[in-house]
Amino acid sequence: MNLTEAIAKLDELEKSTYALNHAQSILYVDGDTVAPKNSWKGRGMALAYLTELAYKQLVNPETGEMLETILQHKEETDEVTFRKAELLKENYDEYNILPMEEFVAYQELTNESGAVWHDAKEKSDWDLFAPYLDKIVAFRRRFASLKDPSKPAYDVLLDQFEKGASMESLDPFFRTLREDLSPVIKEVAAREKPVPAFMKRPWSVHDQRLFSRKVMALEGIDPLNCTLGETEHPFTDSTNKWDVRITTHYYENDPFSSMYSVIHEGGHALYELNIRDDLQFSNLANGVSMGVHESQSRFYENIIGRSRAFCTPLLKIMKEVFPDQMKDITEEELYSAINLSKPSLIRTEADELTYSLHVMIRYELEKAMIAGDLKVADVPGEWNRLYKEVLGVDVPDHKRGVLQDSHWSFGGIGYFPSYALGSAYGVQMLGQMEKDVDVWTTVEKGDLAPVTAWLADKIHQYGSLKKPQDLLPAAMGGSLDAKIYTNYLKKKFSELYKL
Amino acid sequence: MNLTEAIAKLDELEKSTYALNHAQSILYVDGDTVAPKNSWKGRGMALAYLTELAYKQLVNPETGEMLETILQHKEETDEVTFRKAELLKENYDEYNILPMEEFVAYQELTNESGAVWHDAKEKSDWDLFAPYLDKIVAFRRRFASLKDPSKPAYDVLLDQFEKGASMESLDPFFRTLREDLSPVIKEVAAREKPVPAFMKRPWSVHDQRLFSRKVMALEGIDPLNCTLGETEHPFTDSTNKWDVRITTHYYENDPFSSMYSVIHEGGHALYELNIRDDLQFSNLANGVSMGVHESQSRFYENIIGRSRAFCTPLLKIMKEVFPDQMKDITEEELYSAINLSKPSLIRTEADELTYSLHVMIRYELEKAMIAGDLKVADVPGEWNRLYKEVLGVDVPDHKRGVLQDSHWSFGGIGYFPSYALGSAYGVQMLGQMEKDVDVWTTVEKGDLAPVTAWLADKIHQYGSLKKPQDLLPAAMGGSLDAKIYTNYLKKKFSELYKL
């Protein structure tokens, strides 16, 4: 196979892979949003077959030869094509680890397990979900050991979500977070502020739906390219920059839960929506890693969405949609309300200060599960113990405890650390952004376009074309430094709580 | 290939076909319901590839041999397997008519055309849609002439939606409808009743959504197996009996438009939901023809849903959801309101008496288009002329005229007559049902289960296992007789309007 033939073959494979991924992606989104509950069986059959097709078209000697040919001709290949081949080779190697039947069976397992997790969460019943997690853990361990027997299995899994992440780098990262933040969390807890009366007013789902649209508009999301669905657990899915889906979950007693889901998922969406046109419909048309992805979502959610400046445009649209509830509320009161900090049960609703410790707990549990030191049956007990030890809270049931997140149900073991890494990346990006953009003036005016343009320029546009290690230093002004993150949090919450 | 091998091959093909159909079906539903407007491009690419795969796995010598083998061994093959092969052979022959590229191109055309139709309808702009319809008509004509050059092209298309239907049988059918109903329509128009004041009250979409759920429950639809979406044009889609989707469209000035869409699509859904378990995930797990399908949807919509007896449970749930609007309204007033008859513009909102003439107009236009006697550019003029001639109404714009229906945009030329045939079938089924079931007593009690059980027994359970000509005579107590249908309508409206 010569280079021209190899590039033609890559092009063809790209088209068919796009089609199969597109179909699978929409089946998942549909399954999680509007599909009837009993539809999992037929969907599972369809997904299994699509997985089988994807496997077959990727794992064959011809693909191997094509990839070798391109990768051996770096000099004569343009950057985009070379990077496509490089990324595809990673997939190819992974798919070659296990026979097709095992991949298909795993695919069916996670499809079913997603449905079971929903049910188990609703019923707060760990025993329903445990047999599935048992199988998922076994598969992930086996996969990791086959992929790279020289490394601890959990490092192999971490690397899948954030290239280069390992326990060696994450252990000290989380240690710094815990050491630096625990004293602040205690001080803040000692000065506990009451939940303001206005937050206890009822917030109809009907009005919250209208509010979501305004929040998306404020964030600069074009509804022609991105729609909002409703799910138990909010997520973002993208097939291309003209077809992005985000979801949220409404609670009648709290408008901020859904609002921050919308802003967070909207941040993921903006990343996908701003990827260059010429990378679309290829394997480069996705955010490059989960850490970088979470840096964007958490940037909008917290750094922008929980800033003092954001309270100006936010209060304005809240008064439009919720005139009764927001009557007489000032920006300052709103700022205080959206930054109430208190150790709590639910990660996605945690305040900015305590958030990373929720992630740390999951990191510790995953490490132990994958190392084989913690049995699935013992996970709830250990979860509850860590929540008490680290955050000082008692977990009343599994629904609000170990069953709250969907990640394990789809096999996302090793994913959680990305949330904390992303949060830290984002804070360092802010430092750089402030050199180029008058961030708080434009946010206060309700114009987030300059913020998004900066992120699009540094991060979004490239999709997966540039590796995290090529993107991040420029955007962050250096390498990861947990201290910058903890100092940001210490400063913000010292001011808020007058410590 | 021996019979055992052939059956194994059929089984394998059935699984992969199910998977591809499932994916395509969900992509369509998603595209019409919640997908971002700009998502059509990526979806088109995915659908084209799935179509290509479906074509390739069906159209090959091995499939041909498998089908021949089974069809030659009717005696040794069970009924279900034989019928699967028989139906598949029809597909196989159709797919063999044209090269794959043409099918894929047509698939892409209809995907795009669906999006363009939406836009054209919104803007009431025929010229936007016309070039697409031009290509669709050309394709359908070419397809029909290749499929069976011995028959008029339109007969070939009719046969695709209702086996055996032809202009020879439909011309007199529609002639009877027009001759028998036109005088009644005129008499009714002369005694025009005013629209009752309560119907002019506002009906919030929020409340209508709640109402839809109650209507579905009344109809006996299990939301675990069937969900309701919202689209410009209501439809039903089913991948299997545990995954059926219906859609509706809400208007703030009219609760009955959406309600009758829900009941109508719910009738389609019940057909799919009641197909035997052992036929699922095969080509027999669908209603057998559009005429039979419409007989079910229009049975629930009109024969049940616009009956005097149904007003008892209907008024009850309307008073629950719309206490202000329905205050002081009696069952008799409701019955009169839902049966107001007046020649109008929109087929899906037409009353039972004038409905079939809307269909007849489309039938005449399609005949002329496919015969080549009517250019696409001249369709709007002819549409407006026929609406004036047949129904006496002036069409103010294309949105409420020639662009109102989605059918032509997806290539469904020859589909419309099924609505009128189905309506007529349904009336004959009622005559038989009344011999077995105390229909009006149970409907009045709000218990539709005995009605559905009768239809499930006679029609639903079989899916496509039995042909229309084997199903219908038993369910209808004989063959189609337009007079039974027109007599039913004449009697109902003579009583309602005291003619």
Side-chain angles (χ1 to χ4, degrees):
Chain A
M1 197 181 287
N2 65 33
L3 185 58
T4 310
E5 288 162 352
I7 291 174
K9 163 82 187 158
L10 176 65
D11 198 52
E12 186 197 317
L13 185 58
E14 189 171 291
K15 287 202 175 68
S16 53
T17 302
Y18 174 78
L20 296 178
N21 285 347
H22 180 108
Q24 291 197 309
S25 182
I26 299 300
L27 292 191
Y28 275 117
V29 169
D30 174 81
D32 264 355
T33 50
V34 298
K37 200 171 173 191
N38 288 344
S39 64
W40 61 270
K41 191 178 172 184
R43 181 165 56 256
M45 288 172 61
L47 287 171
Y49 182 67
L50 296 174
T51 303
E52 199 179 308
L53 287 178
Y55 186 99
K56 280 182 185 161
Q57 72 186 23
L58 182 60
V59 181
N60 59 60
E62 211 194 338
T63 304
E65 198 189 332
M66 174 271 282
L67 289 171
E68 284 309 317
T69 307
I70 297 175
L71 295 175
Q72 281 163 11
H73 292 80
K74 185 166 184 173
E75 302 307 312
E76 301 121 277
T77 311
D78 67 280
E79 183 197 11
V80 169
T81 306
F82 188 83
R83 178 67 177 148
K84 283 177 183 173
E86 194 177 56
L87 259 189
L88 190 60
K89 179 68 161 60
E90 288 177 19
N91 276 136
Y92 177 79
D93 289 342
E94 280 195 359
Y95 272 66
N96 266 299
I97 292 171
L98 289 170
M100 188 180 75
E101 292 66 30
E102 283 198 51
F103 269 102
V104 174
Y106 179 65
Q107 204 285 326
E108 289 176 295
L109 171 67
T110 51
N111 176 54
E112 208 180 318
S113 137
V116 170
W117 166 77
H118 265 101
D119 207 28
K121 179 171 175 179
E122 220 173 285
K123 297 178 180 146
S124 203
D125 183 349
W126 179 253
D127 294 342
L128 264 183
F129 178 56
Y132 289 85
L133 183 56
D134 233 350
K135 284 185 202 162
I136 288 170
V137 168
F139 179 92
R140 301 303 291 162
R141 288 181 68 182
R142 183 166 137 70
F143 172 83
S145 69
L146 289 168
K147 187 178 177 194
D148 189 347
S150 73
K151 277 197 203 169
Y154 191 53
D155 277 356
V156 178
L157 301 184
L158 287 170
D159 185 83
Q160 287 208 298
F161 296 99
E162 191 61 8
K163 194 106 314 229
S166 68
M167 292 182 278
E168 202 185 331
S169 60
L170 286 173
D171 279 345
F173 173 75
F174 280 116
R175 200 179 311 122
T176 302
L177 299 192
R178 189 174 180 179
E179 283 171 8
D180 285 9
L181 300 180
S182 288
V184 189
I185 292 171
K186 276 211 187 92
E187 282 185 74
V188 163
R191 293 170 196 229
E192 186 178 345
K193 296 180 192 170
V195 176
F198 83 90
M199 288 181 69
K200 293 174 190 154
R201 292 165 193 167
W203 310 82
S204 84
V205 169
H206 179 256
D207 291 342
Q208 288 196 55
R209 288 194 181 112
L210 293 179
F211 181 47
S212 294
R213 279 190 238 161
K214 287 183 186 265
V215 169
M216 285 171 75
L218 179 57
E219 206 175 353
I221 295 170
D222 185 346
L224 293 178
N225 301 319
C226 177
T227 52
L228 178 67
E230 295 174 27
T231 50
E232 174 62 34
H233 199 100
F235 65 79
T236 302
D237 186 279
S238 167
T239 57
N240 62 72
K241 71 184 291 183
W242 302 281
D243 187 2
V244 180
R245 320 293 177 98
I246 63 175
T247 72
T248 190
H249 192 100
Y250 295 108
Y251 297 93
E252 298 232 323
N253 62 350
D254 177 5
F256 296 114
S257 170
S258 165
M259 179 183 91
Y260 282 110
S261 288
V262 170
I263 300 179
H264 176 97
E265 303 306 332
H268 285 303
L270 285 169
Y271 191 172
E272 302 287 334
L273 291 163
N274 287 320
I275 295 173
R276 276 166 32 185
D277 285 12
D278 66 315
L279 305 180
Q280 294 304 313
F281 308 115
S282 81
N283 61 350
L284 305 185
N286 284 112
V288 68
S289 78
M290 286 326 304
V292 179
H293 237 306
E294 294 299 338
S295 77
Q296 302 307 294
S297 54
R298 296 199 44 85
F299 191 94
Y300 286 95
E301 179 190 353
N302 295 309
I303 295 175
I304 302 298
R306 285 190 167 95
S307 69
R308 177 62 186 79
F310 190 68
C311 290
T312 304
L314 178 59
L315 187 62
K316 204 165 143 263
I317 61 172
M318 288 193 84
K319 288 200 172 191
E320 284 167 23
V321 186
F322 307 110
D324 295 340
Q325 294 96 320
M326 297 305 287
K327 206 172 154 236
D328 304 328
I329 303 301
T330 65
E331 291 177 15
E332 208 53 53
E333 285 166 322
L334 178 60
Y335 181 54
S336 170
I338 60 178
N339 284 295
L340 282 184
S341 174
K342 190 183 174 182
S344 64
L345 289 165
I346 309 292
R347 177 185 60 83
T348 55
E349 292 164 21
D351 59 87
E352 213 177 341
L353 179 63
T354 56
Y355 181 84
S356 294
L357 301 189
H358 287 261
V359 174
M360 191 193 71
I361 291 171
R362 287 152 179 79
Y363 169 70
E364 295 296 339
L365 291 169
E366 290 186 343
K367 275 205 300 189
M369 264 197 287
I370 296 297
D373 297 337
L374 177 63
K375 288 205 187 76
V376 162
D378 299 330
V379 171
E382 190 59 9
W383 177 288
N384 296 352
R385 192 189 67 72
L386 281 166
Y387 261 79
K388 186 71 187 175
E389 181 191 307
V390 176
L391 287 163
V393 298
D394 291 303
V395 179
D397 52 43
H398 297 328
K399 184 181 165 75
R400 284 174 284 181
V402 67
L403 283 169
Q404 67 183 262
D405 292 307
S406 63
H407 302 59
W408 293 342
S409 80
F410 61 73
I413 301 173
Y415 184 127
F416 284 115
S418 319
Y419 290 112
L421 286 171
S423 303
Y425 295 161
V427 170
Q428 292 186 238
M429 286 178 202
L430 173 65
Q432 295 309 103
M433 187 189 288
E434 283 176 326
K435 295 177 186 169
D436 302 326
V437 179
D438 189 355
V439 178
W440 305 117
T441 305
T442 195
V443 169
E444 200 177 337
K445 282 192 292 184
D447 177 15
L448 271 57
V451 168
T452 301
W454 192 92
L455 292 169
D457 179 55
K458 299 282 190 267
I459 307 280
H460 301 172
Q461 62 160 321
Y462 298 109
S464 293
L465 181 60
K466 289 182 189 284
K467 294 173 193 171
Q469 63 263 38
D470 299 327
L471 275 180
L472 288 177
M476 291 162 56
S479 57
L480 177 66
D481 179 352
K483 283 283 177 191
I484 299 179
Y485 179 36
T486 58
N487 283 338
Y488 158 86
L489 289 173
K490 283 196 284 186
K491 182 165 180 289
K492 177 169 181 178
F493 283 88
S494 293
E495 285 168 13
L496 270 159
Y497 279 83
K498 306 193 171 46
L499 303 185
Chain B
M1 198 180 288
N2 65 34
L3 185 58
T4 310
E5 288 161 352
I7 291 174
K9 163 84 187 155
L10 176 65
D11 198 51
E12 187 197 317
L13 184 58
E14 187 172 293
K15 285 200 176 70
S16 52
T17 303
Y18 173 78
L20 296 177
N21 286 346
H22 180 108
Q24 291 197 308
S25 181
I26 299 301
L27 292 192
Y28 275 118
V29 169
D30 174 80
D32 265 354
T33 51
V34 297
K37 199 169 173 193
N38 288 344
S39 64
W40 61 270
K41 190 178 173 185
R43 180 167 55 255
M45 289 172 61
L47 287 171
Y49 182 67
L50 296 174
T51 304
E52 199 180 308
L53 286 178
Y55 186 98
K56 281 183 184 161
Q57 71 184 24
L58 182 60
V59 181
N60 60 61
E62 210 193 341
T63 304
E65 196 189 335
M66 174 271 281
L67 290 171
E68 285 309 316
T69 307
I70 297 175
L71 295 175
Q72 282 163 11
H73 292 80
K74 187 166 185 174
E75 302 307 311
E76 300 121 279
T77 310
D78 66 279
E79 182 196 13
V80 169
T81 305
F82 188 83
R83 177 68 177 147
K84 284 178 184 173
E86 195 176 54
L87 259 189
L88 190 61
K89 180 67 161 62
E90 289 177 17
N91 275 137
Y92 177 80
D93 289 342
E94 282 196 358
Y95 273 67
N96 266 299
I97 292 171
L98 289 169
M100 187 181 74
E101 293 66 30
E102 283 198 51
F103 269 103
V104 174
Y106 179 65
Q107 204 284 323
E108 288 176 296
L109 171 67
T110 51
N111 175 54
E112 208 180 317
S113 137
V116 171
W117 167 76
H118 265 101
D119 208 26
K121 179 171 176 180
E122 221 174 285
K123 297 178 178 145
S124 202
D125 183 349
W126 179 253
D127 294 342
L128 264 183
F129 179 57
Y132 290 85
L133 183 57
D134 233 350
K135 285 186 201 162
I136 288 170
V137 169
F139 178 92
R140 301 302 292 164
R141 288 181 68 183
R142 184 166 137 70
F143 172 84
S145 69
L146 289 168
K147 190 180 175 191
D148 189 346
S150 73
K151 278 197 203 169
Y154 191 54
D155 277 356
V156 178
L157 301 184
L158 287 170
D159 184 84
Q160 288 207 299
F161 296 99
E162 191 62 8
K163 195 108 306 236
S166 67
M167 293 182 279
E168 201 185 332
S169 60
L170 284 173
D171 279 345
F173 172 74
F174 281 114
R175 200 179 311 123
T176 303
L177 299 191
R178 188 173 180 179
E179 285 170 7
D180 285 8
L181 300 179
S182 289
V184 188
I185 291 171
K186 277 212 186 91
E187 282 185 73
V188 162
R191 294 171 195 226
E192 186 179 344
K193 295 180 192 172
V195 175
F198 83 89
M199 285 180 71
K200 293 174 190 156
R201 291 166 193 169
W203 311 81
S204 83
V205 169
H206 179 255
D207 290 344
Q208 288 196 54
R209 289 195 180 111
L210 292 178
F211 180 48
S212 294
R213 279 189 237 160
K214 287 183 186 265
V215 169
M216 286 171 75
L218 179 57
E219 206 175 352
I221 294 169
D222 184 346
L224 294 178
N225 301 320
C226 178
T227 52
L228 177 67
E230 295 174 27
T231 50
E232 175 61 35
H233 199 100
F235 65 78
T236 302
D237 186 279
S238 166
T239 57
N240 61 74
K241 70 185 289 184
W242 301 281
D243 186 3
V244 180
R245 319 293 177 99
I246 63 175
T247 72
T248 189
H249 191 101
Y250 295 107
Y251 298 93
E252 297 231 324
N253 62 350
D254 177 5
F256 296 115
S257 170
S258 166
M259 180 184 90
Y260 282 111
S261 287
V262 170
I263 300 178
H264 176 97
E265 303 305 333
H268 285 302
L270 284 169
Y271 191 172
E272 303 287 335
L273 290 163
N274 287 321
I275 295 173
R276 274 166 35 185
D277 286 11
D278 66 314
L279 306 180
Q280 294 304 314
F281 309 114
S282 82
N283 60 352
L284 305 184
N286 285 110
V288 68
S289 78
M290 285 327 304
V292 178
H293 237 307
E294 294 299 337
S295 77
Q296 302 306 295
S297 53
R298 296 200 42 87
F299 192 94
Y300 286 95
E301 178 190 352
N302 295 311
I303 295 175
I304 301 298
R306 286 189 166 95
S307 68
R308 178 61 186 80
F310 189 68
C311 290
T312 304
L314 178 59
L315 188 62
K316 203 165 144 264
I317 61 171
M318 288 194 85
K319 289 202 171 190
E320 284 167 22
V321 185
F322 308 109
D324 295 340
Q325 295 94 321
M326 297 305 286
K327 207 171 155 239
D328 304 329
I329 303 302
T330 65
E331 290 177 16
E332 209 51 54
E333 286 165 323
L334 178 60
Y335 180 55
S336 171
I338 60 179
N339 284 295
L340 283 184
S341 175
K342 188 183 176 182
S344 64
L345 290 164
I346 310 293
R347 176 186 59 85
T348 55
E349 293 164 20
D351 59 86
E352 212 177 341
L353 180 63
T354 56
Y355 181 86
S356 294
L357 301 189
H358 288 261
V359 174
M360 191 194 72
I361 291 171
R362 287 153 179 78
Y363 168 71
E364 295 298 338
L365 291 168
E366 289 185 345
K367 274 204 302 189
M369 265 197 288
I370 295 297
D373 298 337
L374 177 64
K375 288 204 186 75
V376 162
D378 299 329
V379 171
E382 190 59 9
W383 177 287
N384 296 353
R385 193 189 67 72
L386 282 167
Y387 261 79
K388 186 73 187 175
E389 180 191 308
V390 176
L391 287 163
V393 297
D394 291 304
V395 178
D397 52 43
H398 297 326
K399 184 181 164 74
R400 284 172 285 180
V402 68
L403 283 168
Q404 67 182 264
D405 291 306
S406 63
H407 302 60
W408 292 342
S409 79
F410 61 75
I413 302 173
Y415 184 126
F416 284 115
S418 318
Y419 290 112
L421 286 171
S423 303
Y425 295 161
V427 170
Q428 291 185 240
M429 286 178 201
L430 174 65
Q432 296 308 104
M433 188 189 286
E434 283 176 325
K435 295 178 186 170
D436 302 326
V437 178
D438 189 354
V439 177
W440 305 117
T441 305
T442 194
V443 168
E444 199 178 337
K445 281 192 293 183
D447 177 14
L448 271 58
V451 168
T452 301
W454 192 92
L455 292 169
D457 179 55
K458 299 284 189 264
I459 307 280
H460 302 173
Q461 62 160 322
Y462 297 110
S464 293
L465 181 61
K466 289 182 189 284
K467 295 173 193 171
Q469 63 264 39
D470 298 327
L471 275 179
L472 288 176
M476 291 161 57
S479 57
L480 178 65
D481 180 352
K483 283 281 177 195
I484 298 178
Y485 178 38
T486 57
N487 284 338
Y488 158 86
L489 289 173
K490 285 196 282 187
K491 181 165 180 292
K492 178 169 180 177
F493 284 87
S494 296
E495 284 169 13
L496 271 159
Y497 279 82
K498 307 194 170 45
L499 303 184

